[in-house]
Amino acid sequence: PALVSRVDRIRRPVLLIASGREGEIEINRALAERLGDGSRLWTVPDAAHTHALERRPAGYRSLIRTYLGRSLR
């Protein structure tokens, strides 16, 4: 996809959150691999697209706190 070819321009840590929706995890894995160190992929297979917070609120909050705490230093 076009998005994967553009990630080389990103110079900041990136947090990717993927649902179990068909195709979404594959795209996000490709993005995470291209982004390399500093990127993180969290998969929530039982969540619909954009519903990770709704399905896993405690995990979502913990992930955001930890990731931002490390990335914003």
Side-chain angles (χ1 to χ4, degrees), residues 17-39:
I17 301 173
S19 74
R21 195 166 123 184
E22 186 178 336
E24 185 170 336
I25 188 63
E26 292 82 6
I27 291 168
N28 280 278
R29 282 185 182 140
L31 289 170
E33 188 174 316
R34 284 290 285 269
L35 289 163
D37 292 339
S39 70

Side-chain angles (χ1 to χ4, degrees), residues 11-16 37-40 63-73:
R11 303 286 182 242
R12 302 282 185 256
V14 175
L15 175 60
L16 301 162
D37 292 339
S39 70
R40 169 93 194 268
L63 175 71
I64 296 299
R65 271 191 231 112
T66 301
Y67 189 80
L68 291 178
R70 289 181 185 158
S71 300
L72 296 176
R73 290 183 190 177

